[in-house]
């Protein structure tokens, strides 16, 4: 019937040529800006991007460190071959990841294929290009409030500029338009489709983890780490990376599932007790940071945003030819995968390869991409479950990971997921579904041995 969300009321859209494409993009993140630019520039589309924030500009303190791997870089180069995503003067690719137990390195994952940067830097570069692209326009400060699939409308609340109080609502008709939902892991549009269409299935795994950052000064008193490496301090889940030139960030994780007494780290104001606990936490779990941070930074930590999210998996990436889901709206992951922004950018390339404007465009995109997004979501869910597991299970999984690394190093095992995602094999940009199949087989072969080792040592120390 006409109100059935699975039956599009936009038959004129289904026969559009690329030159007549009318596109609405929800969200001015990496995948939203990249798709808007490429559809307008290369396919003659008229694109309107609706963004909740009044500006996409982000300072270092508002962003977080990421690595752009070859699959993400491939799409960025399509947008602009000369795009600069590295921060500051650090333009070389990351040499690898040093995994440490406090001050001692326990493993190293070589790379040489990933550019270290921040999400804010990548979005800033894509924003610059999109603004210069004919056919792309922006509606900033537009927060999606409600979705009516029966009437084919979206209702936005327009935020006013500073100094002007209140909001005003604006109803946007989707008649004759296609929608790209790139609005993130808590997408309201995806939730509306799930509610209206029983055949559209969504699974979510809340992280139950928050990330909050400490920053050095632009020129810290001393630097105790190698700028060509990123660091994982495993005893407390602290990630360290250079942001550019000599400034470093230490991203601290707060895991409520494992540490009920962690609310102090999420407080929105510094207190003498909170600052003292933060200093002790950093000194115990990330000793190199102590000499790199100034005293005032421990107070500023409590004023900064804490990031969290959820893993998302859907059973298809479209609603007829009306809506397509990309990026975190379709397959949000967790930072440990290293694939958040990279998989989102790859979505854009697959979407562009699926016949923009042709009949069945969104269906073709979903068919080409769904196996890979499902595989990536399942891997991310495994990592989330690992972080929630009890100490014994986390130890078994950690030993299994180490054994896989050793097996790969001595060539008893094929390259691991990590090696194919952001290690030396990442240049191949293999499909996630293929990487996952191999990873499953490796884990099935190795994990029983890891379980035996943990059990044996446990008995030996009993």
């Amino acid at each position: 019937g006409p109100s059935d969300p699975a039956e599009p009321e936009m038959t004129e859209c289904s026969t559009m040529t690329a030159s007549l494409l009318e596109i609405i993009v929800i969200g001015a993140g990496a995948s939203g800006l990249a798709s808007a630019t490429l559809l307008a520039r290369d396919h003659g589309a008229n694109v309107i991007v609706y963004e909740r924030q009044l500006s996409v500009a982000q300072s270092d303190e508002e962003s977080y460190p990421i690595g752009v791997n070859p699959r993400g870089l491939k799409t960025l180069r399509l947008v602009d071959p000369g795009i600069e995503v590295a921060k500051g003067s650090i333009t070389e690719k990351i040499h690898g990841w040093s995994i440490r137990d406090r001050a001692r390195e326990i493993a190293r994952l070589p790379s040489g294929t990933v550019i270290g940067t921040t999400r804010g830097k990548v979005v800033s570069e894509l924003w610059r290009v999109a603004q210069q692209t004919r056919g792309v326009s922006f509606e900033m400060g537009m927060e999606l409030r409600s979705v009516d699939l029966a009437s084919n409308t979206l209702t936005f609340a327009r935020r006013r500029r500073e100094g002007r109080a209140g909001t005003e609502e604006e109803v946007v008709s989707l008649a004759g338009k296609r929608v790209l939902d790139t609005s993130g892991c808590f997408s309201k549009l995806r939730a509306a489709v799930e509610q209206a269409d029983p055949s559209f299935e969504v699974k979510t795994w809340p992280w139950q983890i928050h990330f909050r950052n400490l920053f050095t000064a632009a020129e810290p008193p001393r630097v105790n780490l190698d700028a060509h490496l990123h660091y994982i301090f495993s005893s407390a889940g602290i990630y360290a990376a250079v942001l550019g030139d000599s400034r470093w960030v230490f991203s601290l994780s707060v895991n409520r599932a494992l540490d009920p007494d962690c609310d102090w780290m999420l407080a929105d104001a510094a207190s003498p007790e909170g600052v003292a606990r933060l200093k002790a936490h950093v000194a115990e779990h990330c000793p190199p940071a102590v000499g790199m941070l100034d005293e005032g930074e421990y107070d500023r930590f409590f004023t900064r945003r804490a990031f969290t999210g959820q893993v998302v998996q859907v059973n298809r990436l479209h609603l007829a030819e009306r809506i397509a889901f990309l990026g975190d709206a379709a397959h949000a992951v967790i930072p440990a995968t290293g694939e958040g922004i990279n998989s989102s950018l790859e979505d854009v390339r697959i979407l562009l390869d699926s016949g923009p404007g042709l009949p069945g465009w969104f269906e073709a995109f979903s068919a080409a991409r769904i196996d890979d997004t499902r595989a990536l979501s399942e891997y991310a869910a495994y990592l989330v479950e690992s972080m929630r597991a009890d100490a014994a299970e986390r130890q078994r999984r950690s030993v299994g990971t180490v054994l896989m690394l050793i097996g790969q190093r001595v060539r008893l095992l094929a390259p691991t997921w990590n090696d194919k995602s952001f290690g030396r094999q990442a240049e191949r940009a293999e499909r996630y579904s293929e990487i996952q199949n191999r990873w499953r087989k490796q884990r099935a072969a190795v994990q029983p041995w890891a379980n035996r080792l943990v059990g044996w040592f446990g008995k030996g120390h009993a």
Side-chain angles (χ1 to χ4, degrees), residues 67-96:
V68 178
N69 69 16
R71 74 176 75 236
L73 195 58
K74 187 172 183 178
T75 299
L76 292 174
R77 296 293 189 228
L78 288 177
V79 173
D80 179 2
I83 199 166
E84 292 290 343
V85 295
K87 290 285 290 181
S89 61
I90 303 299
T91 56
E92 310 105 51
K93 292 177 179 176
I94 299 167
H95 292 181

Side-chain angles (χ1 to χ4, degrees), residues 26-177:
I26 312 295
S31 58
L33 292 171
S35 57
T37 297
L38 292 169
L39 283 167
R41 187 191 70 198
D42 299 344
H43 298 273
N46 181 45
V47 185
I48 303 177
V49 180
Y50 288 83
E51 166 55 37
R52 180 172 59 90
Q53 300 295 338
L54 291 168
S55 169
V56 300
Q58 285 186 320
S59 66
D60 287 341
E61 287 79 3
E62 297 170 311
S63 190
Y64 46 86
I66 62 169
V68 178
N69 69 16
R71 74 176 75 236
L73 195 58
K74 187 172 183 178
T75 299
L76 292 174
R77 296 293 189 228
L78 288 177
V79 173
D80 179 2
I83 199 166
E84 292 290 343
V85 295
K87 290 285 290 181
S89 61
I90 303 299
T91 56
E92 310 105 51
K93 292 177 179 176
I94 299 167
H95 292 181
W97 279 260
S98 174
I99 302 173
R100 297 196 169 197
D101 181 5
R102 298 171 173 83
R104 181 173 61 92
E105 182 174 81
I106 57 176
R108 182 172 294 194
L109 303 174
S111 179
T113 60
V114 174
I115 296 174
T117 183
T118 65
R119 179 191 179 277
K121 172 64 175 176
V122 174
V123 170
S124 174
E125 285 295 297
L126 289 168
W127 169 257
R128 173 185 60 81
V129 178
Q131 281 191 307
Q132 299 169 358
T133 302
R134 183 177 180 180
V136 179
S137 59
F138 294 91
E139 293 286 346
M140 305 300 290
M142 298 286 276
E143 182 176 0
L144 183 61
R145 285 288 176 85
S146 64
V147 179
D148 190 330
L149 293 169
S151 65
N152 218 16
T153 58
L154 303 177
T155 300
F156 292 89
R158 183 186 291 275
R159 295 172 57 191
R160 297 180 183 272
R161 295 280 175 183
E162 273 187 47
R164 299 178 64 188
T167 61
E168 55 188 27
E169 286 196 345
E170 182 172 325
V171 178
V172 176
S173 172
L174 304 183
K177 301 179 178 68

Side-chain angles (χ1 to χ4, degrees), residues 205-219:
W205 294 262
W207 291 359
Q208 294 187 318
I209 295 172
H210 290 73
F211 297 92
R212 208 172 198 180
N213 296 335
L214 284 163
F215 297 87
T216 71
E219 296 291 337

Side-chain angles (χ1 to χ4, degrees), residues 355-376:
L358 298 177
W361 174 27
F362 285 175
E363 183 179 8
F365 164 65
S366 182
R369 191 60 169 157
I370 191 63
D371 287 347
D372 293 321
T373 62
R374 185 183 294 116
L376 182 59

Side-chain angles (χ1 to χ4, degrees), residues 281-421:
H281 181 80
V282 171
E284 178 183 357
H285 298 288
C286 188
V290 175
M292 297 171 65
L293 298 166
D294 64 60
E295 284 295 308
E297 181 59 18
Y298 292 102
D299 289 89
R300 291 189 290 270
F301 172 84
F302 293 97
T303 68
R304 299 216 174 92
R305 174 186 171 191
F307 301 92
T308 190
Q310 61 181 2
V311 173
V312 173
Q313 183 183 73
V314 296
N315 68 330
R316 68 174 189 270
L317 301 173
H318 70 118
L319 175 68
E321 292 300 307
R322 300 167 69 180
I323 301 168
F325 300 97
L326 285 76
D328 285 355
H331 50 80
V333 292
I334 193 164
T337 65
E339 289 290 355
I341 199 168
N342 296 299
S343 59
S344 298
L345 289 168
E346 190 175 53
D347 285 349
V348 176
R349 185 169 55 81
I350 303 300
L351 180 73
L352 271 290
D353 288 342
S354 299
L358 298 177
W361 174 27
F362 285 175
E363 183 179 8
F365 164 65
S366 182
R369 191 60 169 157
I370 191 63
D371 287 347
D372 293 321
T373 62
R374 185 183 294 116
L376 182 59
S377 297
E378 288 176 359
Y379 178 63
Y382 172 84
L383 296 180
V384 168
E385 290 164 356
S386 295
M387 289 186 288
R388 294 179 186 169
D390 60 31
E393 178 61 20
R394 280 186 288 119
Q395 186 178 38
R396 286 190 288 268
R397 293 189 180 194
S398 295
V399 171
T401 299
V402 172
L403 288 182
M404 287 172 68
L405 289 171
I406 294 171
Q408 193 271 332
R409 182 73 60 87
V410 299
R411 300 187 179 181
L412 290 176
L413 292 176
T416 63
W417 181 297
N418 290 337
D419 202 47
K420 287 180 174 292
S421 177

